[in-house]
Amino acid sequence: MINNILEKIGNTPLIALINNEEPNLNVFAKLEFYNPTGSVKDRAASYIINSLLNQGVINSETTIIESSSGNFGISLSAYAKQKGLKFICVIDNTTLPVNEMMIRLQGAEVIKISEPDERGGYLLNRIRKVKEIVENTDNIYWVNQYENPLNAQAYYNSLGNEICLEIPRQKLDYLFMGVSSGGTITGVSQKVKKQYPNAKIIAVDVEGSVIFGGQSRKRFIPGIGSSLRPKILDSAQIDDVITVDERETVSACIELLEKYNIYAGGSSGSVYAAVNKYFQMHKVDRSVNIMCVFADKGERYITTIYNPEWREMIESYNLTLA
Ligand SMILES: Cc1ncc(COP(=O)(O)O)c(C=O)c1O
């Protein structure tokens, strides 16, 4: 028995994605959307808030603030509320209504940025807004997931640890993870490499993201990718990077649903597409075990990835680029 559903973090299912056409590729998906609010980000939000309270960095009167338009905002609003902390979430015009609604329903104050910044996106203006509020508010803590070492530490101790516990049962050759703030891949790669140095860590990014030196471009699917390179990534242990485009992401999500009944979010599709793309380029002549992290669930993408009209819009946008 547990007293609160929010305590049920981790021990997420590991599912084999059996593909008879590629018998050498043993692909396993770690379904992180089985965390309490539906994404991997619960691990970071709960760890960060608990660590800050335990270390006395924040107290019951502290306001938490973060710029997030998706899963992290949802997770932080839930865990801040659980601890009776005020939470301000700075979002923007592109935030999906379902995410904004969840953040508000869980008691957060939402500030929405509608003015694009000089790069045409919203991130810089969101961060400016956060800094302005921090300067003018007493007893406030900016989580700053792109730079906060606690973000990577959370994944080192939770998801990284859990993956290492699976490895004696399922030897690990490759681990594929999507990247945005870099918290997941930094923490998990440090933990896994420490115990299993031969496991290859593959970072998955999307076209239009600048994290690994790509050209900045409009992106439609929230989750992975970023218009700035996160500082915490400097200590990640990454062997290779693979980039997919949003059409590959969408097709992979549909395939996951049709073939495996897995109704997953965008970055899970990107990671699955990346596995297939990677092993088309790097053929293997022996059986290899590949784990991929599926970060969130499909419901949040019902108006986008799983909506045929939206898919047509993405298709024609990409045709204009070609
Ligand atoms: C759906 C999804 N996948 C993957 C990630 C990447 O996680 P991280 O920020 O730890 O790099 C995120 C982060 O927001 C996400 O929302």
Side-chain angles (χ1 to χ4, degrees):
M1 237 273 281
I2 48 168
N3 292 329
N4 188 320
I5 187 66
L6 294 181
E7 284 161 23
K8 203 165 168 10
I9 296 174
N11 284 322
T12 51
L14 185 64
I15 307 291
L17 306 181
I18 294 160
N19 180 0
N20 295 330
E21 286 157 33
E22 293 285 356
N24 275 340
L25 305 182
N26 304 315
V27 183
F28 303 92
K30 183 88 172 135
L31 302 187
E32 284 296 300
F33 45 83
Y34 277 85
N35 281 305
T37 79
S39 88
V40 70
K41 290 285 186 176
D42 286 346
R43 296 186 187 262
S46 72
Y47 182 91
I48 292 171
I49 288 178
N50 284 328
S51 303
L52 294 169
L53 284 168
N54 292 340
Q55 292 161 11
V57 177
I58 61 170
N59 56 41
S60 57
E61 302 301 312
T62 306
T63 298
I64 306 291
I65 188 165
E66 180 64 322
S67 154
S68 166
S69 55
N71 291 320
F72 200 38
I74 294 173
S75 296
L76 279 172
S77 55
Y79 288 93
K81 182 163 183 264
Q82 185 196 21
K83 297 290 179 190
L85 298 167
K86 184 174 176 213
F87 173 51
I88 301 174
C89 193
V90 179
I91 65 168
D92 65 57
N93 263 358
T94 64
T95 304
L96 294 173
V98 62
N99 290 352
E100 180 179 341
M101 198 184 294
M102 280 308 296
I103 294 167
R104 285 186 194 277
L105 279 171
Q106 293 181 125
E109 178 185 336
V110 171
I111 294 175
K112 195 189 276 192
I113 304 296
S114 49
E115 187 73 24
D117 56 41
E118 57 273 28
R119 286 196 249 163
Y122 294 92
L123 183 64
L124 299 181
N125 279 349
R126 277 190 351 214
I127 290 173
R128 281 181 193 125
K129 187 68 186 175
V130 169
K131 286 184 174 164
E132 181 194 313
I133 296 170
V134 169
E135 271 164 27
N136 294 302
T137 312
D138 289 334
N139 196 0
I140 188 161
Y141 182 90
W142 176 21
V143 176
N144 197 1
Q145 57 174 325
Y146 289 84
E147 296 187 12
N148 193 335
L150 288 174
N151 182 15
Q153 231 176 69
Y155 293 103
Y156 182 98
N157 287 318
S158 63
L159 182 57
N161 198 38
E162 228 172 280
I163 288 173
C164 285
L165 292 175
E166 299 278 1
I167 294 173
R169 290 189 291 271
Q170 297 297 345
K171 194 178 141 302
L172 185 66
D173 297 297
Y174 294 88
L175 179 55
F176 283 69
M177 282 168 283
V179 182
S180 179
S181 73
T184 314
I185 200 162
T186 303
V188 171
S189 67
Q190 286 172 350
K191 179 75 187 184
V192 169
K193 286 282 194 181
K194 197 168 169 187
Q195 293 194 22
Y196 301 96
N198 293 332
K200 292 220 174 317
I201 308 290
I202 316 294
V204 180
D205 199 6
V206 284
E207 297 280 355
S209 159
V210 306
I211 299 179
F212 296 101
Q215 201 54 27
S216 174
R217 192 181 95 185
K218 190 168 171 54
R219 289 173 287 117
F220 293 92
I221 305 173
I224 59 171
S226 174
S227 48
L228 52 81
R229 184 182 157 89
K231 276 215 178 75
I232 48 174
L233 256 194
D234 292 348
S235 52
Q237 298 189 36
I238 296 170
D239 292 286
D240 222 337
V241 178
I242 179 128
T243 304
V244 298
D245 71 37
E246 293 194 319
R247 283 179 295 180
E248 291 169 318
T249 295
V250 169
S251 309
C253 284
I254 304 291
E255 186 179 327
L256 284 171
L257 187 57
E258 282 176 356
K259 224 162 151 179
Y260 302 107
N261 300 304
I262 293 178
Y263 182 32
S267 75
S268 310
S270 307
V271 168
Y272 182 62
V275 169
N276 292 327
K277 204 167 170 176
Y278 186 87
F279 288 101
Q280 271 163 25
M281 293 188 280
H282 304 84
K283 291 281 179 200
V284 286
D285 53 12
R286 64 182 176 97
S287 171
V288 289
N289 285 348
I290 303 151
M291 200 189 288
C292 28
V293 174
F294 283 5
D296 74 349
K297 57 185 167 182
E299 276 90 343
R300 285 179 192 158
Y301 303 82
I302 193 86
T303 55
T304 56
I305 293 171
Y306 296 97
N307 170 9
E309 282 165 22
W310 181 90
R311 290 206 295 271
E312 269 173 36
M313 185 275 290
I314 289 289
E315 215 27 69
S316 49
Y317 176 79
N318 278 284
L319 285 176
T320 62
L321 292 178

